[in-house]
Every structure is written in C-alpha cells, then in structure tokens.
Amino acid sequence: MISRIAYKASGAVRPALSAIGRTEDLRFSPDNRLLAIAGYARRRCLILRIDVETGVDGPAVTLHDFMELTSDSMGEIHGLDFVDDRTLAIANRDGLVALFALPREEPAGQSREIAAIRRVKGRRSSKLNSPGSIAVRLESHGRVTLLVCNNYTHLVTRHVVNRWLGYRATSNQPLLKRGLDIPDGIALSHDGQWIAVSSHGTKDVKIYRMSASLGPDSEPAGVLRNAGYPHGVRFTADDRHILVADAGSRMVHVYAGSGDWTGNRAPTRSIAVLDEETFLRGRASPEEGGPKGLDIDRSNNVVAVTCEEQTLAFFALASLINPQVPAFGHDLTRP
C-alpha cells in the first residue's frame, strides 16, 4: 500500500470529515485554497480551507477549517466542479444540476444554508436524468459548458450557461452515448483535446476526441482497459497520465500516454490507496468498498481520494505515476 500524506488539520475539521457520511466526488478550487467534498448520503457539501505546500520531503497538506453547506437545491450530491474560485456546480443524483455562489466569509466551522443561483434541467433529448459526475469548461463571452454524466440513461449531456445572464442555459444537447454503460466519472484534458468518461458497466474508461462533430454516435477514440469499477478520473497537468479510482478494489489505476489517447491501454501501475480492513468494511457488493472521488490539486503535486470508509486521504502524485519514486509499501503493479 502506498503511503499517505499525514495532513495537518484543526480540531474541528476531523469531526466534520467523520460526520459527512457516504461521499462521491471531490474537487480543488482553481486557486487551490478550497476542497469541496460531495456528501451524498447527508445531502450536503463540505468545503475545506486547504493549503498545499512543497518541500524537500515532498508535499505537505494542511486543512485549516471547514464550512458545511446545505440547500433546497442539494440532494444526493454525486458530482461537483468549480466554475471559478467562488462558484460551484453541483450534480444531484436524485434531481438536477444547480449552481451556487459560495458564502463570502472564510470557512470557520459553520453550517450555512444557501440558495442556488440557477438550476439546470436540460430539454427534450438532453433532459437531465440521474445526473452524476460533472465537468466544467470555460468558454468565451461569459459562456460556461457543463458536461454531465446521466448515470442511468447512459448519456453525457452538454449544457451551455451564460454567467452574464445569471447562468441561464442557452444550449442543451446530448453529447456522448456510444460505448457508455453507467457513466460514473468525467474529466477534460488540460489541452482541451480529450474527454475521459468512466463506464461502470463495461469496466473501462472511454476516451473521446473533442471536435465540432462530436455527438452521441461518435465512437471512442481510445479505451482504458482493466479499470475494475471506475469512478473518479483525472488527467495530470501535462496530459501524459490518467488516474482512475476503482470503486470495486483498493486501487487507483495509472495509465501512461504521450498526450495522444487513441487506442487501447492497460494500466502501467495499479496501487492500493486503502488498507484491507478499511476496504472490507465498505465491501457491501463487488462494486463497492474502494476509492470513488479522485482529484489532483492545481499544483499537480497531490492526489486526493475519498470514499465512505476513508473520507479523505492525500498522496504524492509523483509516487503514483513514477516507478522510480518509492511508494513506501507494496507497489501492486499489474503486469
């Protein structure tokens, strides 16, 4: 098992983490000062004030305080992503997608009920149904694209909202469908060329090339094989690696590429991020027990993962993707 970063936390943060219950996705803010965690079971979002620093002994993480947010527009929160440092898009598995302005004050151990700026429903063939993970892409002229995994209709939809119009939706369309069976996680490459979608039912991650012609009938350009029950997925900052959280095992799978993600790939490394006892506590079915949410911080040094039995853990990115960096334990590399 890979060694975790022993993060520092204030006395109030650890009880807040313990109380959040079942988690799904998590996401660092663009300025790297906040970490948002989806509290699926308790219908709330936990916002942590975080610092990530680098030193001679590797990255260090400090959790200074927290804010717990609830809303009539928060249900079974599955996915979330930041539009900017103070605006958060949330996908509710049992409802819709909602956009929120975070409270102006710094997280200081308080609970707040907030109202949504806007709720997004979609229309006709792109109407939201069981929205799960979500990815935000900033466009020109105030437009923001929301890519939403509709888990049980096996469809990724694209919704364009305009912040200059109070985030009103100006376009809704089905985007990806071919090859997907319960899309459970989504990520955009940093160069804007690729979309990675975890496909739970097919036990792989489909990679689609971004283009003007992309649509529901488009074939995946590449496939990441042997991903177990993939959930959280992220590109590294240089787009040369993809990390995939496997909810059905103790593993995070690492895939290597040159930045061109066409073709089929197997993991180059598969590394345990949960100990056996913790994993078995959450093993209600073959599809559960392992890591779910996964994100890489904006400095590209730290990987954060979450699941119900291990609400939050941090790992040095270098120790996952680089075989020359010690993993401080058993490197469970697949042949």
Side-chain angles (χ1 to χ4, degrees):
M1 176 171 170
I2 191 172
S3 178
R4 291 180 288 182
I5 296 172
Y7 63 85
K8 299 177 183 178
S10 68
V13 168
R14 294 187 188 275
L17 287 169
S18 298
I20 195 64
R22 174 180 165 181
T23 58
E24 291 290 342
D25 287 350
L26 79 173
R27 195 74 167 118
F28 289 92
S29 62
D31 64 5
N32 225 33
R33 297 182 71 249
L34 300 176
L35 179 62
I37 304 176
Y40 178 93
R42 296 191 61 215
R43 299 170 176 261
R44 60 199 61 213
C45 181
L46 186 65
I47 305 291
L48 301 173
R49 169 70 180 90
I50 187 170
D51 274 331
V52 176
E53 299 175 321
T54 55
V56 292
D57 297 324
V61 176
T62 302
L63 305 178
H64 295 284
D65 221 319
F66 75 95
M67 181 183 293
E68 192 176 74
L69 302 178
T70 58
S71 173
D72 290 342
S73 299
M74 292 184 192
E76 295 175 344
I77 302 175
H78 188 284
L80 37 71
D81 199 3
F82 283 89
V83 177
D84 55 40
D85 295 328
R86 308 304 303 182
T87 309
L88 190 62
I90 285 179
N92 299 293
R93 173 75 71 77
D94 60 342
L96 305 173
V97 168
L99 291 124
F100 296 90
L102 298 182
R104 291 184 177 277
E105 62 265 30
E106 286 287 301
Q110 70 269 50
S111 296
R112 291 284 305 275
E113 184 167 352
I114 61 176
I117 305 170
R118 179 76 60 177
R119 294 195 299 169
V120 179
K121 303 178 182 179
R123 296 186 65 190
R124 299 185 182 92
S125 61
S126 58
K127 189 174 180 64
L128 290 174
N129 185 311
S130 60
S133 294
I134 184 171
V136 167
R137 176 173 171 166
L138 302 182
E139 313 285 359
S140 59
H141 306 297
R143 294 175 301 154
V144 178
T145 290
L146 309 175
L147 301 180
V148 182
C149 294
N150 295 267
N151 291 152
Y152 301 132
T153 54
H154 316 295
L155 175 69
V156 174
T157 51
R158 179 176 183 261
H159 310 270
V160 179
V161 299
N162 194 310
R163 66 174 83 194
W164 297 349
L165 301 175
Y167 291 97
R168 181 170 64 84
T170 58
S171 174
N172 303 275
Q173 64 186 103
L175 184 66
L176 303 172
K177 189 172 182 67
R178 188 174 293 275
L180 297 178
D181 185 350
I182 310 179
D184 216 12
I186 188 167
L188 296 168
S189 63
H190 297 273
D191 64 7
Q193 299 299 308
W194 308 95
I195 306 173
V197 184
S198 300
S199 182
H200 178 95
T202 54
K203 299 185 178 182
D204 55 25
V205 176
K206 302 293 197 298
I207 309 291
Y208 301 86
R209 187 188 297 274
M210 187 75 80
S211 70
S213 62
L214 191 63
D217 293 327
S218 298
E219 293 280 358
V223 180
L224 306 183
R225 303 287 189 189
N226 305 326
Y229 289 99
H231 195 282
V233 55
R234 284 291 178 266
F235 291 83
T236 55
D238 60 5
D239 294 325
R240 297 176 68 87
H241 293 86
I242 297 176
L243 273 56
V244 178
D246 181 357
S249 78
R250 299 163 56 203
M251 306 297 180
V252 165
H253 305 298
V254 181
Y255 297 82
S258 63
D260 181 348
W261 290 98
T262 55
N264 297 339
R265 285 176 171 78
T268 55
R269 304 183 84 193
S270 296
I271 301 176
V273 295
L274 288 167
D275 62 68
E276 187 75 14
E277 181 181 354
T278 303
F279 172 65
L280 292 176
R281 281 203 309 270
R283 190 72 168 162
S285 77
E287 305 172 13
E288 300 287 340
K292 286 198 166 183
L294 178 149
D295 199 17
I296 301 172
D297 88 301
R298 304 303 174 120
S299 73
N300 204 53
N301 286 305
V302 169
V303 177
V305 297
T306 183
C307 63
E308 183 171 1
E309 300 298 332
Q310 181 174 277
T311 308
L312 187 59
F314 299 99
F315 304 90
L317 175 62
S319 66
L320 270 75
I321 65 174
N322 188 349
Q324 305 305 315
V325 176
F328 307 105
H330 298 293
D331 177 358
L332 302 177
T333 304
R334 293 188 176 189

